[in-house]
């Protein structure tokens, strides 16, 4: 899978998707993206900048949603041009897909929309990479059906593993809580498609903070390390220079000034697992998982 300047391979280096949950203006987006580019260079990591132009599924109608599609795409285009980072953003409706695909490298299908056939097919038909977030209500096995919907309209010569990413982001556990079943990562990885772990949304408490989502960001490092040990292709983590002032998901965005050591830890674990998976001491392939 080719993403911007780098290639994602099943047993390749870890890649990272990071950025603020929602676009908070051009200066903010460029500032975060520039620091992410510096971190990626220091760690020699492939990195994709992520931010949403519209958070259409906010708990409360009073919560800020972002700048909207036109202004948001203009900001993402500048981020891409000025930092040379690939960019990712969400699409919520089929009418948005074509315009968004003209700007971004990866179209993201939000978890709540992961079964929407028309949206999946419209996104895949653009030829852009599609990241499908696993619905909080879905089993890992069901994600293969979501991917197959996208695969049914791929351009000639393209395979699912070339164009579709699957992302684990936790499963509903009662009200206002999520849990992560690490087996889901193995099941989705077995499909041959790149598999991401969304560390930020996996520690979310959906709607659990009186009209907004709460969460516990202190668990992000533990779950990220566990996911790396389980054998992921990449890590998805939302980050912000001042989390308490973030427009969206302030309880679960990771502080930007603490991102580099977190990624360094995850990379070390990922690389150990990758080396062990590729070869045993007796030269035989190592069993995945």
């Amino acid at each position: 899978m080719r993403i911007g300047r780098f290639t994602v391979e099943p047993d390749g280096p870890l890649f990272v998707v990071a950025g603020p949950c929602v676009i908070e203006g051009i200066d903010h987006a460029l500032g975060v993206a520039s620091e992410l580019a510096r971190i990626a260079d220091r760690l020699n990591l492939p990195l994709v900048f992520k931010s949403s132009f519209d958070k259409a599924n906010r708990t409360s109608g009073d919560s800020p949603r972002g700048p909207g599609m036109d202004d948001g795409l203009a900001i993402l285009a500048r981020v891409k041009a000025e930092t040379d980072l690939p960019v990712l953003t969400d699409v919520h409706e089929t009418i948005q897909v074509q315009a968004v695909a003209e700007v971004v490298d990866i179209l993201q299908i939000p978890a709540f929309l992961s079964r929407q056939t028309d949206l999946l097919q419209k996104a895949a038909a653009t030829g852009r990479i599609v990241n499908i977030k696993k619905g909080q209500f879905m089993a890992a096995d069901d994600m293969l059906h979501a991917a197959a919907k996208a695969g049914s309209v791929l351009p000639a010569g393209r395979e699912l593993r070339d164009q579709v990413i699957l992302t684990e982001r936790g499963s509903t556990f009662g009200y206002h809580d999520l849990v992560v079943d690490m087996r889901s990562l193995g099941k989705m990885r077995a499909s041959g498609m790149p598999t991401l772990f969304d560390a930020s949304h996996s520690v979310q408490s959906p709607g659990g903070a009186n009209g907004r989502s709460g969460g516990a960001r202190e668990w992000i490092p533990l779950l990220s390390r566990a996911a790396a040990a389980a054998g992921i292709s990449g890590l998805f983590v939302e980050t912000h220079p001042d989390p308490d002032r973030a427009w969206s998901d302030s309880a679960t965005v990771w502080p930007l000034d603490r991102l580099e050591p977190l990624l360094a830890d995850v990379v070390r674990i990922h690389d150990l697992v990758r080396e062990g998976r590729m070869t045993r001491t007796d030269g035989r392939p190592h069993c995945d998982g």
Side-chain angles (χ1 to χ4, degrees), residues 134 138-145 166 168 183-185 187-188:
K134 183 176 78 64
M138 287 175 66
D141 312 74
D142 295 336
M143 285 292 285
L144 303 185
H145 300 295
L166 303 179
E168 167 61 54
R183 296 175 301 174
S184 294
L185 295 168
K187 291 177 180 178
M188 292 194 290

Side-chain angles (χ1 to χ4, degrees), residues 30 75-87 102-105 128:
L30 283 173
I75 290 171
L76 289 172
R78 279 194 59 185
V79 166
K80 185 174 179 178
E82 296 187 25
T83 67
D84 203 26
L85 292 176
V87 295
E102 292 174 5
V103 173
V104 307
D105 299 271
R128 291 294 192 189

Side-chain angles (χ1 to χ4, degrees), residues 217 220-221 237-240 243 252-256 258-259 262:
R217 77 168 62 89
I220 286 176
V237 56
E238 292 183 334
T239 187
H240 196 283
T252 58
V253 292
W254 189 250
L256 183 60
R258 294 168 57 193
L259 182 63
L262 170 65

